[in-house]
Amino acid sequence: MGARIANGGEEESLPALQYWLEGVRAHPLHWCFKSRRPNRYPGVVYAWWKNPILVAFEETLAILEVVQPEGLGAKRREFRAIKGQPPHDMEQFLALRAELTVASHLAASGVPFRFNGEDGPDLLIEVEGETCGIEVSSRRPKSLDSLIRELRQALVARGLPSGVSTSTDPIPPVAIRAHVRREILDAFLPPDGTPGVSEMQVEVAPERPEEGIPASWLTIRVGPNERYGRMSAPWNSPHMKATAQEVARNVMRETRKIRQSKLMPTVLIVDLSDTDLPDLRCWPEVFSPMWEESDQFLALAGMTMTRLSREPNLRFSVNPFSERRPVEALADSVRPCPVFRDLSDALAGRRSQRPA
């Protein structure tokens, strides 16, 4: 891709996104600009400018370009610096996508904020003369979704059919231990290059077994005609409890996050979009007993969104050990932004436990 993507000589499309990608030759979004099956319909122009993933990014970036919050230039450079689709780069990309999405909703609602160019939370808001923070993270447990992506990439690298089908029983595994992931990958793709299995079933125990969280039986098949995934869990499944435990241990209480929580009054948002069966209906009730007296974040939200839309869903759990006034003041400041409405509802006790 060159400095600009031409739309058949017509008027330029998705101008904000093209500006952010100007001069970039390797980026996670580049695959959206290419037809997945160029030989099926010869002569037909691939309408990349209508790709919903790109359109969602265009909407996000266009809002930020209009409002021009402080620190936007640094975010544009960060966006341009992400290369390709290796796992580490994709993690960076998804984290930045979540941050830019939240920022664009604040901007569209007229809530003043700035991007933080120094150590501390991602977004800064002035509340009653004090700087408060919103930290946005998208780190997640290495679950079934990431395992299947890794398996597909390895199959492609060996020139093998990369179709993968999966099913789980009774719930999807929240995290798959490293040695189990290695055993699964080696079974399908032996290190010595010999043919691997085409199907296997394995019991995936929780990384840290907890009361009420069962192991999951995982079935995987590979082949040219394998293209489905079958997972299910009840709305109050222990799967959500295990996900919340992972977030509490490995995100909220990660060393860097602890340091950030002590710098200023801060709300933490964790993007769970690409976890298996992300379901926030009972997030506040599940996360509530996991707070500890040493936790400094004012509140923690689970966040989900699809790659085809910039509309996120946030569900907040308020820290019962924090002073109420700072979180109320921050909630009042972001009240004009609809995606933060659940924070105000949580403080007022207005929300239902099982939203539609």
Side-chain angles (χ1 to χ4, degrees), residues 15 57 130 138 143 151 153 163 185-186 193 195 199 253 260 287 294-295 314 316-317 325 332 334 348:
F57 261 100
E130 182 179 18
S138 72
S143 58
L151 176 57
Q153 290 173 353
L185 292 170
D186 287 349
E199 178 180 345
R253 299 188 185 111
Q260 289 176 338
F287 200 88
S294 58
D295 293 329
L314 274 65
F316 284 88
S317 175
R325 180 56 196 157
D332 286 342
V334 297

Side-chain angles (χ1 to χ4, degrees), residues 28 57 60 75 78-79 82 87-103 115 122-123 134-140 251 256-257 269-274 303 305 307:
F57 261 100
T60 293
K75 288 300 164 185
E78 184 180 339
F79 182 86
I82 300 173
H88 175 69
D89 293 313
M90 282 303 297
E91 288 178 8
Q92 285 186 302
F93 173 66
L94 294 174
L96 183 57
R97 178 191 71 158
E99 179 186 343
L100 293 173
T101 298
V102 172
F115 289 104
D122 295 314
L123 309 174
I134 298 174
E135 171 67 11
V136 185
S137 172
S138 72
R139 283 178 296 171
R140 53 184 60 83
V251 181
R256 181 169 171 267
K257 290 290 186 287
I269 299 173
V270 180
D271 181 17
L272 303 173
S273 301
D274 286 345
M303 168 177 157
M305 58 184 291
R307 299 188 184 192

Side-chain angles (χ1 to χ4, degrees), residues 125 127 132-134 265-267 298 325-335 343:
I125 298 176
V127 179
C132 295
I134 298 174
T266 301
V267 165
L298 301 180
R325 180 56 196 157
V327 68
E328 286 179 339
L330 182 56
D332 286 342
S333 296
V334 297
R335 192 185 301 274
L343 179 58

Side-chain angles (χ1 to χ4, degrees), residues 271-326:
D271 181 17
L272 303 173
S273 301
D274 286 345
T275 53
D276 305 317
L277 293 180
D279 188 338
L280 299 182
R281 287 176 291 177
C282 57
W283 177 264
E285 293 75 28
V286 168
F287 200 88
S288 178
M290 298 182 189
W291 287 101
E292 296 178 358
E293 197 165 355
S294 58
D295 293 329
Q296 297 294 309
F297 285 107
L298 301 180
L300 185 147
M303 168 177 157
T304 59
M305 58 184 291
T306 75
R307 299 188 184 192
L308 308 182
S309 169
R310 59 174 292 274
E311 298 301 322
N313 175 32
L314 274 65
R315 293 281 286 171
F316 284 88
S317 175
V318 177
N319 185 349
F321 300 104
S322 66
E323 294 183 15
R324 191 171 176 87
R325 180 56 196 157

Side-chain angles (χ1 to χ4, degrees), residues 10-77:
E10 299 174 9
E11 184 179 351
E12 223 169 56
S13 299
L14 310 186
L17 179 60
Q18 291 203 69
Y19 175 51
W20 279 56
L21 287 174
E22 188 168 19
V24 177
R25 298 194 176 276
H27 193 273
L29 284 179
H30 275 181
W31 70 272
C32 296
F33 290 93
K34 300 176 182 178
S35 172
R36 303 276 67 79
R37 299 175 178 176
N39 298 324
R40 172 169 286 191
Y41 306 107
V44 175
V45 175
Y46 173 58
W48 58 264
W49 55 92
K50 295 182 181 179
N51 184 302
I53 296 176
L54 299 179
V55 171
F57 261 100
E58 173 68 19
E59 293 172 351
T60 293
L61 302 181
I63 291 170
L64 293 172
E65 286 294 337
V66 169
V67 176
Q68 287 289 311
E70 182 180 336
L72 183 61
K75 288 300 164 185
R76 197 183 300 115
R77 290 189 293 273

